């Protein structure tokens, strides 16, 4: 497994200057944003894409969102990041959009059947094939 | 968040959280991502979500008795006055540590964690073993974190829900008389606000 150095975040920031940061490094509005960020960092470290490739894909995603009326206040930045991640994963043949939807639906069922306060865990029965 | 249900009987994940979990699961299954390594990376940034928000609230409560009274009575409004809003529909309750009672908060759902106030939860906080042990043996869990309380201090464990989230008001350390709020806020750790630690002692 690829080791990730936090220094990788600095490299990412240099390649993708739009990443929200303060003097110490990336900042996130919600926990899932940190997950989305960390996944992209991991996949980059695995060589799935270059930062140049990522920057172009993310820019295209943001441009399309703006054209569709995204207010572009910065609050939606990681939504675009996540959409870019999903498309990149599909383009590189890791998982198709259909597979992503299948897993998303399975997690939804897992959450539904999990009583509040218990950890949500995915089980084979959560998949509908 | 696209939507945020508040059902009582089952768990809920937002649309975005579902998509993030779907991706993580697939990437893990295909060997692209090691969940432990990912958690470690995320932990590096955990303090970057709302890092000083809760600390500021605690420091003000230590300094200003009127603010503290307000915080204990209407935490949402008092926290908002410092400039940090929680998610809509989220009800914050502040529980105060005293020599007689120490408070600890548990919840296994990251969606139940008041991250705008406390920052991201530590990785272990969401684990099932932590939660069950905290309920069964809070003194033992505290000991693991290096915290030993006097035998006559009762420990109360609060289980946060999607409707109520807790903030622990730690005891003000001795030797901090006359300190500014800024200086006091530096003593307030995230762990002290979920009750798995105490506020730092002045050096």
């Amino acid at each position: 497994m690829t080791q990730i150095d936090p220094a990788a975040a600095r490299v990412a920031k240099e390649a993708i200057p739009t990443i929200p940061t303060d003097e110490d490094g990336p900042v996130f509005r919600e926990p899932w944003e940190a997950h989305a960020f960390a996944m992209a960092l991991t996949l980059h470290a695995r060589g799935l894409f270059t930062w140049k490739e990522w920057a172009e894909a993310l820019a295209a995603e943001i441009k399309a969102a703006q054209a569709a009326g995204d207010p572009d206040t910065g609050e939606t930045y990681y939504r675009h990041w996540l959409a870019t991640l999903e498309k990149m994963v599909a383009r590189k043949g890791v998982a198709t959009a259909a597979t992503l939807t299948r897993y998303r639906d399975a997690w939804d069922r897992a959450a539904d059947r999990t009583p509040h306060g218990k950890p949500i865990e995915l089980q084979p029965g959560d998949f509908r094939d | 968040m696209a939507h945020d249900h508040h059902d009582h009987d089952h768990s809920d994940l937002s649309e975005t959280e579902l998509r993030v979990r779907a991706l993580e699961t697939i990437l893990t299954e295909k060997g692209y991502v090691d969940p432990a390594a990912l958690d470690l990376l995320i932990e590096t940034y955990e303090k970057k979500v709302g890092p000083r928000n809760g600390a500021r609230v605690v420091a003000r409560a230590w300094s200003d008795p009127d603010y503290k009274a307000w915080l204990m009575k209407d935490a949402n409004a008092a926290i908002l006055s410092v400039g940090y809003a929680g998610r809509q529909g989220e009800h914050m309750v502040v529980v105060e540590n005293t020599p007689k009672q120490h408070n600890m908060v548990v919840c296994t759902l990251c969606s139940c964690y008041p991250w705008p106030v406390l920052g991201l939860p530590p990785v272990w906080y969401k684990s099932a073993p932590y939660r069950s042990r905290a309920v069964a043996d809070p003194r033992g869990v505290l000991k693991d974190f290096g915290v030993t309380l006097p035998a006559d201090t009762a420990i109360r464990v609060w289980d946060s829900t999607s409707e109520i989230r807790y903030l622990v008001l730690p005891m003000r350390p001795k030797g901090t008389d006359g300190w500014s709020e800024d200086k006091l806020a530096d003593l307030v750790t995230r762990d002290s606000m979920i009750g798995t630690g105490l506020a730092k002692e002045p050096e």
Side-chain angles (χ1 to χ4, degrees), chain A residues 9 30 35 46 103-104 117, chain B residues 1 15 24 29 31 45 108:
Chain A
E30 302 187 21
H35 281 250
R46 288 286 306 256
Y103 275 74
R104 177 241 169 259
Chain B
M1 289 290 107
E15 180 59 32
E24 265 185 44
E29 284 180 3
Y45 299 108
T108 48

Side-chain angles (χ1 to χ4, degrees), chain B residues 171-203:
Chain B
M171 285 197 285
R172 179 171 176 161
K174 292 197 169 59
T176 58
D177 289 352
W179 280 34
S180 69
E181 275 182 34
D182 280 348
K183 216 171 153 193
L184 286 170
D186 285 339
L187 299 177
V188 184
T189 61
R190 179 203 54 208
D191 288 0
S192 74
M193 293 185 283
I194 52 181
T196 55
L198 306 175
K200 286 191 275 188
E201 295 291 329
E203 284 173 14

